[in-house]
Amino acid sequence: MKKIIFTDLDGTLTLKDTYTKFVLQNLKIGTVLKNIATLFRMYMNHSLGKINDDDVKKITFGMFFTGYDKQTNIDNFLKTIPWNPKVMNMIEQKRKEGYKVIIVTASPDVYVTHVCEYLKYDGFISTQTVDDGRYLSGALNGEVCNFEEKPKRITAFLGTEKPEHTISFGNSTGDHAMLNFCDESYFVNKLNIKRFKD
């Protein structure tokens, strides 16, 4: 039976949000100007609690990544991600004990696939995007991979397999369902890591 680590990406493996970083790296001033009114409404609705972070991700992804070329080189993006050394070290120690590592994140697959390869991890579960084989449509395939969607996707990923032991790492309420799902879980607050108790 496999031993598996399911870890969140943003604020867990990293010290900062990678989605915001990826948006800013690919931002085009023309797109911002064309959508300034929509961005302002989105900001106000988010500030007032009328929409959540997942809603913001859906809106901005469609706005900024329609027509994005999946073959774009993102090496510079990967090299400048601020990793969390404490979490990374814990995971590396567990890998030496035979654990496989799966990233489970709300971030989109268009760059999470490269993050997974960069870290030489064993796989990822993420928000799925729609493309024609090369260019993104700007739409998402299914729900944002967050909250209850995380254990749902993990269950589908495992299928009939029952791992010997599972460990999870997360840093927000969006990770609580995954943290509760696994045998052993850790809540990350920047460089502070504690056993998770809901």
Side-chain angles (χ1 to χ4, degrees):
M1 291 287 188
K2 290 180 181 177
K3 297 184 288 185
I4 306 177
I5 293 172
F6 294 103
T7 179
D8 174 55
L9 177 62
D10 299 309
T12 301
L13 281 177
T14 70
L15 294 171
K16 294 184 179 180
D17 182 68
T18 60
Y19 180 69
T20 301
K21 184 177 180 64
F22 193 69
V23 168
L24 292 174
Q25 181 174 298
N26 291 281
L27 205 58
K28 294 177 182 174
I29 190 65
T31 305
V32 174
L33 292 174
K34 185 173 72 174
N35 293 283
I36 194 72
T38 303
L39 286 168
F40 180 74
R41 283 196 302 273
M42 180 188 73
Y43 172 77
M44 292 303 297
N45 286 332
H46 187 262
S47 299
L48 295 169
K50 293 182 178 179
I51 62 173
N52 60 28
D53 291 346
D54 290 351
D55 296 321
V56 169
K57 189 158 288 183
K58 290 176 185 176
I59 295 167
T60 56
F61 190 82
M63 189 180 296
F64 297 126
F65 292 104
T66 298
Y68 176 82
D69 187 348
K70 289 174 60 181
Q71 294 182 12
T72 301
N73 189 305
I74 67 166
D75 286 350
N76 289 337
F77 168 75
L78 295 170
K79 289 174 183 175
T80 57
I81 293 175
W83 304 105
N84 187 324
K86 286 196 172 182
V87 175
M88 300 290 278
N89 288 340
M90 284 183 70
I91 287 175
E92 284 308 305
Q93 182 57 47
K94 290 297 181 182
R95 290 181 81 184
K96 291 176 184 176
E97 297 173 16
Y99 280 82
K100 302 293 184 183
V101 184
I102 307 298
I103 298 171
V104 185
T105 177
S107 292
D109 56 8
V110 64
Y111 70 84
V112 176
T113 182
H114 298 288
V115 170
C116 188
E117 291 172 3
Y118 183 79
L119 295 174
K120 297 181 172 59
Y121 285 173
D122 302 285
F124 68 91
I125 300 168
S126 69
T127 298
Q128 300 295 303
T129 59
V130 179
D131 62 72
D132 63 4
R134 179 167 179 176
Y135 298 99
L136 298 180
S137 72
L140 300 181
N141 182 11
E143 297 299 317
V144 172
C145 186
N146 210 6
F147 296 98
E148 295 297 334
E149 190 70 14
K150 287 196 172 188
K152 179 180 175 182
R153 298 273 189 98
I154 290 172
T155 300
F157 172 83
L158 291 173
T160 58
E161 180 180 4
K162 294 190 180 298
E164 177 185 337
H165 191 255
T166 56
I167 298 175
S168 63
F169 292 87
N171 77 306
S172 70
T173 55
D175 298 315
H176 282 189
M178 176 176 71
L179 296 173
N180 280 317
F181 179 84
C182 292
D183 300 317
E184 178 182 337
S185 297
Y186 295 89
F187 192 82
V188 180
N189 183 5
K190 294 186 179 179
L191 296 177
N192 187 25
I193 304 171
K194 293 183 178 179
R195 285 295 292 263
F196 175 74
K197 293 181 181 179
D198 192 16

